[in-house]
């Protein structure tokens, strides 16, 4: 734990859609992430970290509140966080800490989220987000899915330009804070957008990977398509893969890798500003992402499923009291960020009974038998999906259809579903019981669909929503 007799700060770095395999410190053989690698070498790397919903808006609502999605009811990209229940940002602000956000939030916008400053934010479109994603039983026609393949490559994008601004604002804030010589503890939440699609990388960063062919680029991302009924349906709806041939897939992966390296460079600028501003000795640094990206594995792109590429995230903690060069296999999730922020700043927040646990404790070996939960109730899925990770086992329940079970020690790439294997029936039942100790999947599934129907009705019904423009991704602010 940090020394709580001295005011502590937290620099919280968040990216969007970072598959944790695509980083040097997580074992990738050639992706260049020198700043994240140094952060991991000087701190603790969590190898079994997860988002709590593999899609942007619910994941970020869960992150903000420190609560499970089924507890807060922000189910999908059309039900954005609106400030209740109160965020850990608000808890810390109320206790006298400064909590500053810079960059993407993906909340409703216009509400009090507990920040003392909210700089260049990105929120959902018109405070409503992706209303068409509410239609889960009878899927709408999805347009523009060819764009992910045809638009991939090298060049400038509004997201890379926005991330450059985010890093600049963060560096300026740290320099101003140092000049002000303020003693108040702070959390600086720097939230980037890359490597979220569109898959366009600045030319210099794309060119770092131009010499690699598809075989090298796709290693670890080449699992065959499964035959699960829910996932088959989703693969048909999110039909990005049918527009990729080998050449386009190689281009897309080079662009994604290039964006990761560009993101790493921007993170390096912020970390350097932290050191030169004099905050290095009393500031913890946490890096993670809101979810991953399938990157073509199993014929899937984007997120929205419970495979490791989608639901897994990188997570690195560094700073005072954190073991250096350590690796922790204990499952963790974004729910653990709230108690970590409280611990890092040393403020009194004992009234908050967060279900997560401080990463400072987990880095020291606490609670190795814990389980973490992720769930999905959003676009493309005709049923609720629930993922429970505990020890070596990963269990995925789909309400109304067959589950999946993976042994991530023996099968880290999730190629062998053990759910139908009689030899694993006891493990399957044990994992299902552990899930039901956290929530009732059937009840949660019913509640999610009911809430989504209420939002459909409040926005004029299906016909009116169908007439609106599709939102492939939220545009960066001007």
């Amino acid at each position: 734990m940090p020394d709580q007799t001295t005011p502590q700060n937290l620099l919280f770095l968040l990216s969007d859609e970072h598959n944790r395999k695509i980083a040097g410190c997580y074992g990738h053989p050639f992706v260049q992430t020198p700043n994240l690698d140094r952060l991991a070498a000087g701190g603790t790397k969590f190898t079994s970290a997860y988002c709590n919903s593999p899609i942007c808006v619910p994941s970020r609502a869960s992150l903000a509140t420190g609560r499970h999605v089924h507890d807060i009811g922000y189910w999908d990209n059309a039900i954005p966080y609106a400030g209740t229940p109160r965020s850990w940002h608000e808890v810390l602000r109320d206790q006298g800490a400064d909590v500053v956000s810079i960059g993407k939030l993906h909340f409703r916008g216009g509400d009090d989220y507990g920040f003392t400053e909210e700089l260049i934010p990105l929120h959902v479109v018109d405070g409503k987000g992706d209303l068409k994603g509410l239609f889960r039983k009878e899927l709408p026609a999805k347009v523009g899915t060819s764009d992910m393949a045809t638009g991939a490559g090298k060049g400038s994008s509004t997201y890379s330009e926005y991330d450059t601004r985010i890093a600049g604002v963060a560096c300026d804030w740290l320099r101003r804070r140092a000049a002000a010589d303020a003693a108040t503890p702070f959390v600086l939440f720097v939230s980037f957008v890359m490597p979220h699609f569109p898959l366009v990388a600045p030319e210099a960063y794309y060119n770092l990977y131009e010499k690699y062919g598809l075989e090298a680029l796709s290693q670890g991302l080449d699992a065959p398509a499964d035959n699960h009924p829910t996932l088959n349906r989703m693969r048909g709806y999110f039909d990005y893969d049918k527009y990729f041939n080998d050449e386009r897939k190689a281009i897309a992966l080079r662009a994604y890798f290039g964006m990761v390296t560009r993101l790493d460079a921007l993170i390096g600028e912020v970390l350097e500003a932290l050191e030169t501003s004099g905050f290095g000795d009393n500031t913890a640094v946490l890096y993670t992402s809101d979810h991953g990206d399938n990157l073509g594995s199993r014929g899937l792109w984007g997120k929205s499923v419970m495979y490791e590429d989608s639901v897994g995230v990188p997570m690195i903690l560094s700073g005072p009291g954190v073991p250096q060069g350590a690796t922790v296999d204990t499952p963790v999730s974004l729910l653990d960020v709230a108690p970590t922020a409280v611990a890092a700043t040393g403020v009194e927040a004992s009234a908050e009974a967060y279900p997560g646990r401080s990463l400072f404790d987990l880095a020291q070996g606490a609670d190795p038998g814990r389980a973490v939960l992720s769930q999905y109730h959003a676009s493309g899925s005709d049923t609720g999906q629930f993922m429970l990770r505990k020890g070596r086992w990963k269990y995925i329940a789909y309400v109304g259809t067959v589950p999946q079970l993976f042994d991530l020690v023996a099968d880290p790439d999730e190629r062998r579903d053990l759910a139908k294997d009689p030899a694993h029936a006891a493990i399957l039942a044990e994992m299902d019981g552990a899930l039901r100790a956290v929530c009732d999947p059937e009840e949660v599934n019913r509640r999610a669909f009911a809430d989504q129907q209420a939002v459909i009705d409040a926005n004029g019904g299906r016909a009116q929503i169908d007439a609106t423009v599709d939102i492939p991704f939220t545009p960066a602010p001007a």
Side-chain angles (χ1 to χ4, degrees):
M1 288 285 290
D3 178 4
Q4 297 300 310
T5 63
T6 304
Q8 300 287 316
N9 311 306
L10 175 65
L11 172 60
F12 177 26
L13 302 164
L14 186 71
S15 63
D16 196 317
E17 210 151 310
H18 186 181
N19 181 319
R20 67 169 172 244
K21 294 177 182 175
I22 314 303
C25 56
Y26 277 91
H28 199 281
F30 59 81
V31 166
Q32 299 179 35
T33 51
N35 296 293
L36 291 178
D37 297 352
R38 279 192 292 272
L39 192 67
T44 295
K45 175 181 65 180
F46 296 90
T47 61
S48 302
Y50 296 92
C51 66
N52 300 104
S53 185
I55 189 170
C56 291
V57 171
S59 179
R60 288 166 179 268
S62 191
L63 170 63
T65 60
R67 313 284 178 190
H68 289 295
V69 171
H70 65 266
D71 287 331
I72 56 178
Y74 296 106
W75 305 107
D76 56 62
N77 276 3
I79 308 179
Y81 179 54
T84 56
R86 70 175 185 159
S87 65
W88 57 262
H89 335 132
E90 185 175 355
V91 171
L92 296 186
R93 186 188 66 183
D94 288 352
Q95 295 295 328
D98 288 331
V99 190
V100 178
S101 77
I102 302 172
K104 181 173 181 176
L105 293 173
H106 231 197
F107 302 156
R108 184 169 68 177
D111 300 293
D112 181 6
Y113 304 114
F115 297 114
T116 49
E117 294 180 86
E118 186 180 312
L119 305 175
I120 56 170
L122 182 155
H123 290 298
V124 302
V125 174
D126 298 330
K128 295 184 177 182
D130 180 19
L131 293 172
K132 292 185 178 180
L134 294 164
F135 305 134
R136 297 170 54 201
K137 291 290 188 180
E138 298 178 7
L139 294 174
K142 193 164 183 64
V143 301
T145 51
S146 64
D147 294 348
M148 187 176 292
T150 60
K154 64 180 77 174
S156 179
S157 75
T158 56
Y159 275 1
S160 65
E161 293 166 358
Y162 181 43
D163 277 357
T164 300
R165 291 169 57 206
I166 290 168
V169 171
C171 292
D172 289 344
W173 189 92
L174 286 164
R175 286 189 282 266
R176 290 197 309 272
R177 181 73 172 206
D181 197 27
T184 306
F186 69 79
V187 175
L188 181 61
F189 176 25
V190 184
S191 182
F192 296 102
V193 186
M194 289 191 296
H196 191 289
F197 64 87
L199 298 172
V200 178
E203 183 173 6
Y205 292 89
Y206 179 96
N207 289 346
L208 292 172
Y209 304 104
E210 202 155 27
K211 65 182 179 182
Y212 296 101
L214 181 59
E215 183 177 356
L217 292 162
S218 62
Q219 57 187 303
L221 302 169
D222 56 356
D226 51 62
N227 194 33
H228 190 280
T230 296
L231 301 181
N232 283 340
R233 182 177 185 269
M234 294 183 70
R235 193 178 291 106
Y237 179 60
F238 296 113
D239 63 347
Y240 304 110
D241 198 58
K242 76 178 185 181
Y243 301 102
F244 282 96
N245 56 24
D246 286 354
E247 180 184 8
R248 288 196 180 280
K249 186 171 182 179
I251 291 170
L253 291 175
R254 291 183 196 117
Y256 184 89
F257 293 4
M259 285 195 290
V260 169
T261 301
R262 175 56 180 162
L263 168 71
D264 181 86
L266 294 173
I267 287 172
E269 292 178 12
V270 179
L271 292 174
E272 182 179 5
L274 182 77
E275 292 296 327
T276 58
S277 299
F279 295 118
D281 291 338
N282 70 338
T283 301
V285 179
L286 174 62
Y287 171 72
T288 189
S289 195
D290 66 345
H291 50 71
D293 191 306
N294 292 292
L295 295 176
S297 195
R298 299 177 182 83
L300 295 163
W301 295 81
K303 49 274 186 181
S304 304
V305 297
M306 293 299 178
Y307 288 112
E308 293 289 285
D309 293 307
S310 168
V311 76
V313 294
M315 191 169 297
I316 303 167
L317 180 68
S318 183
V322 179
Q324 295 187 10
T327 297
V328 172
D329 297 328
T330 299
V332 298
S333 81
L334 297 183
L335 290 190
D336 299 318
V337 172
T340 301
V342 170
T345 52
V347 304
E348 293 293 332
S350 57
E352 299 297 321
Y354 292 117
R357 184 157 184 179
S358 167
L359 293 166
F360 293 109
D361 293 339
L362 295 165
Q364 299 286 353
D367 206 3
R370 76 198 301 249
V372 300
L373 172 70
S374 185
Q375 56 196 294
Y376 185 80
H377 307 277
S379 181
S381 184
D382 60 350
T383 192
Q385 304 178 29
F386 299 82
M387 185 282 293
L388 193 81
R389 173 69 193 276
K390 185 178 183 182
R392 67 191 296 157
W393 302 106
K394 178 176 179 178
Y395 173 65
I396 309 170
Y398 302 84
V399 174
T401 189
V402 293
Q404 293 176 300
L405 179 70
F406 297 99
D407 179 350
L408 293 185
V409 173
D411 178 27
D413 291 330
E414 303 168 287
R415 292 173 182 263
R416 296 188 299 277
D417 180 3
L418 303 172
K420 296 181 181 178
D421 181 358
H424 291 86
I427 291 293
L428 191 73
E430 178 185 331
M431 294 296 287
D432 187 68
L435 168 62
R436 292 175 184 280
V438 182
C439 69
D440 178 341
E442 289 78 16
E443 185 277 331
V444 171
N445 188 52
R446 287 192 296 269
R447 185 153 44 92
F449 274 108
D451 289 351
Q452 288 163 334
Q453 185 60 52
V455 176
I456 292 170
D457 295 343
N459 283 275
R462 174 149 193 162
Q464 187 164 324
I465 294 172
D466 273 337
T468 62
V469 176
D470 285 74
I471 304 173
F473 53 86
T474 306

